[in-house]
Amino acid sequence: MKLYGHHNVCSSTVNLIDAVSASASSPRPAPLALDLVKLGPLMRLGPGRPQVTVGLIDGPVAVGHPGLAADSIRTLAGGHAGCEVPHGAACLHGTFVAGILSARRGGAAPALCPGCRLVVRPIFSESPLAGRLPVASPDELAAAIVECIDAGADVLNVSASLAWASAREERALRGVLDHACRRGVAVVAASGNESAIGGSAITRHPWVVPAVGYSLRGRPLSGSNLGAGIGRHGLGAPGENVTSLSARGGLTTSSGTSVAAPFVTGTFALLLSAFPRARAGDVRVALIRSAPARRTVVPPLLDAWAAYRALRAAQQRR
């Protein structure tokens, strides 16, 4: 199930993108997803450095989950407080994405960069109305981006879809994304799962790296949103039946573009950890240029190890 709520032109909303399944039947081992984008060699260099900060703009995170490296996680005060509804969509989603980034190594979750700091800025809280999907406004998303930048984030992970925004709200979002670019803070955003061609104010922005979900066979998922900008400066990453942490405890699985996004974000964090003198812009160039040629609306698969080699060569030339 995709988390897109009904909306009309009088209601500007940002929606969670992917639902998280209620149970983890036949969970896929993390190495299958990691091998798809050649993350294994990069992860073996280490779990990331605490000097690198990832900003997670999503639902709240169940930081008490025993599988999380909780000491490295901080929730910003501006967000919704904690997992008030641990079984709700927002908490399940935020905890799942956090597990891809900051689970303890050695488990079934990908656990890309638990050594880095994770700053959580929830923008989704559970609705008091039963069955109502969690949403946020574009202005709340813009505020969260600024707060994460002010908190020292080096890269932001946005697993949210812009369902609709007014011209003013789109200008405001472009303004904060311009601000992220000026500050040298990378932004990775899920492209969305509506099988649409085009993009949003988020994914069209030239500084943003949109993430498209791929199957474990290396094929783009049919539901992923695509477009000229997504194909030009986006990346594909594992987005099918990925296993991570459940807010209910234990593991669960999910699919979609918001599952793919933290694989790209975690790669950013590991590369910044491996090359402390590199800037986010350097890493972005290495990631995008290390992927195959871009001639369609479909972005190529992330190649984390090729990006590492390209960045190492670039740093040695300096």
Side-chain angles (χ1 to χ4, degrees):
M1 181 180 70
K2 299 170 186 173
L3 282 180
Y4 285 106
H6 295 294
H7 62 278
N8 57 48
V9 295
C10 298
S11 137
S12 303
T13 57
V14 176
N15 295 328
L16 280 178
I17 291 181
D18 304 313
V20 178
S21 60
S23 63
S25 56
S26 302
R28 300 282 187 138
L32 293 178
L34 302 177
D35 290 346
L36 181 69
V37 288
K38 301 180 175 63
L39 258 165
L42 185 57
M43 291 176 65
R44 285 193 286 273
L45 297 179
R49 300 167 64 246
Q51 292 82 0
V52 174
T53 299
V54 177
L56 178 57
I57 299 173
D58 206 294
V61 173
V63 293
H65 193 296
L68 277 174
D71 290 346
S72 65
I73 300 174
R74 177 168 69 99
T75 299
L76 295 182
H80 297 287
C83 284
E84 297 176 359
V85 185
H87 292 187
C91 185
L92 287 169
H93 195 278
T95 303
F96 187 95
V97 175
I100 295 176
L101 294 166
S102 297
R104 300 181 189 278
R105 290 272 178 96
L112 301 185
C113 51
C116 299
R117 286 202 311 144
L118 184 68
V119 172
V120 180
R121 177 34 169 103
I123 58 171
F124 300 110
S125 63
E126 299 302 336
S127 168
L129 301 177
R132 180 80 176 268
L133 297 175
V135 298
S137 72
D139 287 342
E140 286 178 300
L141 174 58
I145 291 172
V146 172
E147 288 177 29
C148 284
I149 292 171
D150 290 345
D154 299 289
V155 55
L156 305 180
N157 188 94
V158 182
S159 291
S161 169
L162 189 63
W164 182 85
S166 67
R168 181 199 65 78
E169 289 165 330
E170 288 212 2
R171 285 194 301 272
L173 278 173
R174 287 196 298 270
V176 298
L177 293 171
D178 289 343
H179 175 60
C181 182
R182 288 191 298 269
R183 291 283 295 270
V185 178
V187 181
V188 178
S191 72
N193 303 311
E194 294 178 312
S195 302
I197 301 294
S200 69
I202 304 170
T203 58
R204 286 193 300 265
H205 195 281
W207 178 246
V208 173
V209 179
V212 166
Y214 268 66
S215 74
L216 294 177
R217 295 183 178 182
R219 298 175 181 273
L221 298 181
S222 60
S224 295
N225 293 350
L226 305 171
I230 295 169
R232 186 165 52 248
H233 49 85
L235 289 165
E240 179 187 48
N241 295 332
V242 172
T243 298
S244 187
L245 305 182
S246 170
R248 299 180 173 122
L251 301 169
T252 189
T253 60
S254 187
S255 301
T257 60
S258 65
V259 174
F263 282 93
V264 180
T265 302
T267 302
F268 259 102
L270 289 175
L271 290 172
L272 287 169
S273 297
F275 300 99
R277 292 184 295 172
R279 296 167 297 185
D282 300 328
V283 175
R284 182 181 180 278
V285 168
L287 284 168
I288 292 174
R289 291 185 178 175
S290 297
R294 298 162 182 271
R295 299 188 179 92
T296 72
V297 296
V298 182
L301 264 174
L302 164 70
D303 187 329
W305 193 239
Y308 171 85
R309 294 197 305 268
L311 196 55
R312 181 178 59 187
Q315 294 291 299
Q316 288 173 346
R317 289 194 294 269
R318 289 188 171 182

